[in-house]
Amino acid sequence: MNSNPIPYGRQNITDEDIQSVVDVLKGDYLTQGPQIKLFEDAFANYIGSKYAVAVSNGTAALHLCALALNVKEGQKVITTPITFAASANCIRYCGGDVEFVDIDPATYLIDIEKVKKLLESSPKGTYSGIIPVDFSGRAVNLEEVKGLADEYNLWIIEDACHAPGGYFIDSKGEKQNCGNGNYANLAIFSFHPVKHIASGEGGMITTNNEELYKNLLKLRTHGIVKDTQNYTNSIELAGGIDEYPGWYMEMQMLGYNYRLTDFQAALGLSQLKRADRGIERRREIATIYNDAFSKTSKIKGQSGIVDGHAYHLYIIEVEDRLGLYNYLKSNNIFAQIHYIPTHLMPYYQQFGWKEGDFLNAEKYYSQCISLPMYPTLSKIEQDMVISLILDFLP
Ligand SMILES: *Cc1c(COP(=O)(O)O)cnc(C)c1O
């Protein structure tokens, strides 16, 4: 048995990362300083979006997106059951209702044909928006989603937590990076340590829409405006004589404190420099798994090797999933299951969702297992994982 536990995902922190955090800790700003904008600009540049807003985590990013798009009580929003619960929860934070649509069993992504059928079978205006998820790092074809969204007047929040560096090829043959804002109104990312870029906790919203961008900046920090041009109270009420006093600010909407700190932004910025190398390594690892498992019919995987896959997760489906999970665990290998379908969470069952609602998602859940996938996974470690799996299979 190997001595070091092998998790399904883990962060990679270099000396350079550590130094970048130490530098900020020794400086003047622990938060609300210059690292935030540097990280935002570098991230927008990496993804190819016009704007980026750094926030405290991916869930906060989703919440702010739902607020910026005015999700209200009674509004219905579509998402997939195979995702982290936060993709749906952000709608509930604003009082909206979540409508799940089953996955495509070949890609594990929300089934766009089924979304289309749902929209066609409901009066126009029934749904306000859709939250497609680039699950496991495989990009949703947002051009197709946008076609439906335009026809049915839906906004799109792309949950790209698994897919910084991922892309799909559009109908013109062009690469469309996940989160680049060409099709979705807003996209979100997470910098939790299991994701591609780690900042401890952290998140980012990307968009090409200036108005949404400006609103997000306010919502991130209590709804406060600090900009003479946009004050609505008079100078006199503010306590000034012929200009607004230096201390003055206005809270113009109900916002939150969803800020990222400067030392987290510095870590994210330092990690971002290695993002391309990380993706390359993830794709190498995926190729080795693909080759090893192509020899057996006992293992199913996501169909079609996809160019733009960001491989946050490497998932296989096996019949005795529980057996394999426990066998790997007894060998110090900690695979994980992504995800327990959100509609089966006790919280969501109160809205009437139940077993049998989404057969593809439920079948997938009964067989899926996420294998170790992170840039520092060594060849020796991966070979051990592979041989244990092949040994275990009947
Ligand atoms: C991680 C994750 C989130 C939430 O991000 P946090 O930073 O953990 O709040 C949302 N959606 C998906 C798909 C995720 O993987």
Side-chain angles (χ1 to χ4, degrees), residues 20-30 263:
S20 71
V21 174
V22 169
D23 290 345
V24 172
L25 290 175
K26 287 179 175 169
D28 291 331
Y29 294 96
L30 295 189
F263 49 96

Side-chain angles (χ1 to χ4, degrees), residues 58-255:
T59 305
L62 283 162
H63 187 193
L64 290 190
C65 288
L67 289 167
L69 292 166
N70 266 315
V71 174
K72 294 229 165 22
E73 202 160 325
Q75 285 189 356
K76 290 183 191 297
V77 175
I78 298 165
T79 194
T80 165
I82 297 298
T83 182
F84 185 59
S87 311
N89 294 349
C90 64
I91 299 311
R92 296 294 310 136
Y93 296 157
C94 300
D97 297 324
V98 180
E99 182 78 35
F100 295 104
V101 170
D102 208 354
I103 59 164
D104 176 342
T107 63
Y108 312 156
L109 305 177
I110 195 166
D111 187 332
I112 296 176
E113 279 308 306
K114 290 205 161 102
V115 172
K116 188 165 179 234
K117 286 206 184 102
L118 175 74
L119 292 168
E120 282 168 357
S121 67
S122 325
K124 268 204 179 168
T126 302
Y127 298 97
S128 310
I130 180 165
I131 306 180
V133 180
D134 299 312
F135 173 71
S136 76
R138 183 165 176 153
V140 169
N141 186 323
L142 284 183
E143 189 180 21
E144 287 175 13
V145 177
K146 177 81 161 103
L148 285 177
D150 284 348
E151 196 179 339
Y152 291 90
N153 203 17
L154 310 177
W155 47 252
I156 304 171
I157 300 172
E158 178 187 8
D159 183 337
C161 283
H162 295 184
Y167 60 85
F168 73 96
I169 305 290
D170 71 11
S171 60
K172 294 197 189 93
E174 280 171 29
K175 263 192 195 182
Q176 297 289 343
N177 288 346
C178 295
N180 72 5
N182 286 345
Y183 294 102
N185 303 70
L186 296 162
I188 69 111
F189 296 87
S190 163
F191 306 126
H192 183 278
V194 296
K195 310 289 163 79
H196 291 216
I197 296 161
S199 69
E201 298 284 354
M204 192 75 80
I205 305 167
T206 55
T207 184
N208 290 345
N209 181 310
E210 188 180 4
E211 196 185 328
L212 287 173
Y213 169 64
K214 286 184 172 166
N215 267 333
L216 289 165
L217 290 179
K218 284 185 232 171
L219 285 166
R220 172 177 69 181
T221 183
H222 309 285
I224 285 173
V225 174
K226 231 181 170 321
D227 166 8
T228 312
Q229 307 293 312
N230 291 311
Y231 290 152
T232 59
N233 281 339
S234 67
I235 290 172
E236 292 70 33
L237 195 151
I241 296 170
D242 22 68
E243 57 180 5
Y244 288 97
W247 68 78
Y248 191 66
M249 55 82 171
E250 284 183 358
M251 191 204 109
Q252 295 185 342
M253 49 167 52
L254 188 63

Side-chain angles (χ1 to χ4, degrees), residues 6-59:
I6 303 178
Y8 84 89
R10 65 161 298 154
Q11 74 275 19
N12 173 26
I13 303 291
T14 63
D15 288 343
E16 203 184 337
D17 290 342
I18 291 166
Q19 193 53 50
S20 71
V21 174
V22 169
D23 290 345
V24 172
L25 290 175
K26 287 179 175 169
D28 291 331
Y29 294 96
L30 295 189
T31 189
Q32 293 178 285
Q35 294 298 316
I36 302 298
K37 189 76 167 72
L38 289 173
F39 185 31
E40 289 171 341
D41 289 349
F43 195 83
N45 184 50
Y46 176 66
I47 294 296
S49 67
K50 269 198 194 148
Y51 307 105
V53 179
V55 293
S56 47
N57 56 66
T59 305

